[in-house]
Amino acid sequence: MYNRILIANRGEIALRIIRACREMGIETVAVYSQADAESMHVKLADQAFCIGPARSADSYLKIDRIISAAEVGAVDAIHPGYGFLSENAHFNEVCRSCEIDFIGPTPEAMEKLGDKNTARSIAIASDVPVVPGSDGLIEDDAEALRVAEEIGYPVLIKATAGGGGKGMRVATEPAVLAAALAQARNEATAAFGNGGVYLEKYLQRPRHIEVQVVADLHGSVCHFHERDCSVQRRHQKLIEEAPSPTLPPERRKAICEAAVKMIRGAGYTNAGTVEFIVDEEGGFYFIEVNARIQVEHPVTEMITGVDLIKEQIRIASGQPLSRTQDQIPCVGAAMECRINAENPDRNFQPNPGKITGFFAPGGLGVRFDSHVYTGYTVPAYYDSMIGKLIVHRPTRGEAIETMLRALRELQVEGICTTASFHQRVLTHPTFIAGDCDTKFVDRELSGV
Ligand code: ADP
């Protein structure tokens, strides 16, 4: 097992990883930007190195500085968290070439899955259903028109290098297809330096269901059940829950088995998430693999009782999965609300600044993963999430009640948060019925 791990991240996920390391008797090395000198991950790590100015491009994305810190700190491994360099195959490669383990999949698997069109081909080859669409990348307008005619409008144009919703365009009819194609290509070229796009049928009211998978270096692959992340605003997840409130047991089993096939087909190791969209009839279609730990992993930890970060560390060090599939239960219902420093009454405008007063909710079934404290200043440079409020109760109804009371208990003074918005979602009849699709928030609660 490792003696020392560097955490190439900040915020709540850096703390989450430090906590797992400490319980495992592993020392931690933090890195931080000048804007994060007062951050909790810096205070709680055994050692910390400043790696540059506030802007991510000058600090958390600077591979050479992170590697220098790792070498000075004499670490055995690097945990990348999520975001920043977590899905950067080059960084992964550099770590390994410096004889530092990267806690994640191999650079090869990461590279293949990072290209959505390649991932789609792997899904097809692994017998995992994909959304009807083009057979590979689209060459020209004529081909796009032909494919769209075949699968039927509306169609979604997707950038193969895409992420964070960039390079995605909907075309509702042939007259607008060429223009949408050009826009998607341009946006993808500007953002990713790769203008390759493909077509998918655009589902009208999909649910977003993803499956947590963990694979070790010895050929074992287990799923840790599904999460429903349909409560999104502009494709950004707001609330995640497990198990899915509506999928019948045999569909849940089928989607989890499909995810395992995908991970095996890709030769993927460590923790990863296979994302699907699900139509109104319960048909599911692969959309992408996230080759890292995800923000919403605690929801899965609550229903399975497994510490996924510890599992990631053990697996990277060569140990086998700590359990077999039948030892991974799905107990009760768990839910997570992302608490962001944003003003929900002003179109979710980011609201960084100093937290002048803070109280974290507690009590039975409540977990609050956060790096903030009274006197902490939320910097304007990074994403606006200041914490994740997670509840775990025997039933979904009780989880909603506990979440509502925990949201009321949460006190954050000095800045606005999205807590009030979550209360609106959790009391909405559509959410209570477990009936949200990915457009629900934009359709029924936008402008709130
Ligand atoms: P990104 O990597 O940019 O986030 P994804 O492929 O994960 O892109 O898609 C982002 C979101 O877009 C999904 O969560 C889903 O809500 C929606 N989406 C993706 N594909 C389709 C589709 N074919 N039809 C309808 N919605 C889709």
Side-chain angles (χ1 to χ4, degrees):
M1 185 38 71
Y2 304 126
N3 290 316
R4 202 171 299 133
I5 290 177
L6 179 139
I7 297 136
N9 217 301
R10 64 178 300 282
E12 70 82 24
I13 192 65
L15 269 187
R16 171 73 191 83
I17 299 163
I18 291 171
R19 286 171 171 154
C21 289
R22 183 133 303 149
E23 289 176 13
M24 294 173 87
I26 299 170
E27 288 177 19
T28 51
V29 175
V31 291
Y32 63 98
S33 73
Q34 284 163 6
D36 276 340
E38 296 302 317
S39 276
M40 206 42 115
H41 76 287
V42 176
K43 295 181 211 266
L44 288 186
D46 294 298
Q47 216 182 342
F49 295 100
C50 181
I51 51 166
R55 275 183 1 125
S56 309
D58 301 326
S59 50
Y60 296 107
L61 294 174
K62 279 270 183 214
I63 295 180
D64 53 340
R65 294 194 192 156
I66 294 170
I67 296 290
S68 299
E71 286 180 336
V72 176
V75 304
D76 315 296
I78 293 186
H79 196 306
Y82 52 68
F84 296 122
L85 295 169
S86 61
E87 289 182 279
N88 185 314
H90 172 64
F91 175 58
N92 186 338
E93 185 88 58
V94 172
C95 293
R96 289 170 202 260
S97 67
C98 297
E99 296 189 0
I100 299 167
D101 280 1
F102 178 90
I103 300 173
T106 60
E108 296 75 30
M110 188 174 261
E111 185 118 45
K112 276 193 282 186
L113 294 172
D115 184 84
K116 291 189 174 194
N117 182 50
T118 308
R120 188 175 150 92
S121 312
I122 296 171
I124 295 167
S126 310
D127 209 18
V128 171
V130 297
V131 189
S134 58
D135 210 5
L137 296 179
I138 291 286
E139 295 292 332
D140 51 35
D141 291 358
E143 187 188 357
L145 281 164
R146 190 167 46 70
V147 175
E149 205 55 55
E150 230 170 78
I151 59 178
Y153 288 88
V155 295
L156 185 61
I157 304 155
K158 280 188 169 179
T160 189
K166 285 211 181 81
M168 271 193 342
R169 283 284 183 289
V170 181
T172 48
E173 46 165 344
V176 298
L177 185 61
L181 201 63
Q183 280 169 1
R185 276 194 203 286
N186 290 342
E187 196 171 298
T189 308
F192 315 109
N194 175 354
V197 295
Y198 60 99
L199 281 195
E200 271 182 7
K201 179 151 186 69
Y202 184 63
L203 302 192
Q204 301 286 0
R205 293 200 167 193
R207 304 177 72 93
H208 174 114
I209 305 230
E210 57 186 35
V211 180
Q212 177 70 58
V213 182
V214 183
D216 67 19
L217 306 177
H218 310 283
S220 291
V221 185
C222 285
H223 70 78
F224 286 64
H225 308 284
E226 80 286 359
R227 296 184 286 256
D228 188 322
C229 313
S230 302
V231 179
Q232 307 182 353
R233 180 177 169 272
R234 298 186 183 167
H235 296 316
Q236 299 295 320
K237 295 168 188 167
L238 297 173
I239 300 177
E240 301 95 348
E241 63 179 298
S244 155
T246 49
L247 271 191
E250 82 282 358
R251 289 274 86 192
R252 294 179 49 215
K253 187 161 178 278
I255 204 168
C256 291
E257 285 171 359
V260 168
K261 277 200 273 183
M262 180 67 200
I263 289 298
R264 280 194 193 282
Y268 187 93
T269 48
N270 215 285
T273 298
V274 187
E275 296 191 334
F276 297 89
I277 48 176
V278 178
D279 65 21
E280 280 148 293
E281 286 77 48
F284 58 84
Y285 309 95
F286 166 80
I287 50 172
E288 68 168 340
V289 174
N290 289 133
R292 53 173 161 80
I293 195 75
Q294 281 189 289
V295 171
E296 58 271 28
H297 76 274
V299 164
T300 300
E301 294 184 323
M302 303 318 285
I303 58 153
T304 60
V306 179
D307 183 320
L308 289 170
I309 304 290
K310 286 186 185 170
E311 206 66 26
Q312 282 195 293
I313 295 171
R314 280 196 210 103
I315 282 169
S317 78
Q319 293 185 13
L321 257 162
S322 69
R323 49 200 84 202
T324 54
Q325 189 64 63
D326 55 7
Q327 293 168 333
I328 303 168
C330 173
V331 178
M335 220 170 254
E336 172 183 279
C337 287
R338 298 188 187 199
I339 309 296
N340 295 342
E342 292 170 3
N343 187 344
D345 299 324
R346 290 234 175 120
N347 210 20
F348 293 83
Q349 193 181 4
N351 192 230
K354 186 166 179 162
I355 295 178
T356 52
F358 176 73
F359 179 77
L364 183 63
V366 177
R367 165 176 172 182
F368 191 56
D369 278 20
S370 171
H371 56 293
V372 310
Y373 54 88
T374 303
Y376 174 74
T377 299
V378 180
Y381 302 96
Y382 315 109
D383 86 61
S384 58
M385 196 175 74
I386 59 162
K388 307 185 302 202
L389 182 51
I390 304 127
V391 301
H392 182 220
R393 303 300 301 131
T395 64
R396 184 172 188 267
E398 289 164 284
I400 295 174
E401 283 167 9
T402 301
M403 183 64 91
L404 280 167
R405 88 81 188 137
L407 282 164
R408 283 182 65 168
E409 266 173 39
L410 172 69
Q411 305 286 323
V412 183
E413 279 156 26
I415 58 169
C416 293
T417 79
T418 46
S420 59
F421 181 77
H422 285 303
Q423 289 173 324
R424 298 199 49 145
V425 178
L426 286 157
T427 49
H428 195 288
T430 305
F431 181 83
I432 293 170
D435 242 358
C436 297
D437 61 84
T438 60
K439 313 281 161 47
F440 158 74
V441 168
D442 294 322
R443 201 172 48 236
E444 296 186 39
L445 291 169
S446 66
V448 173

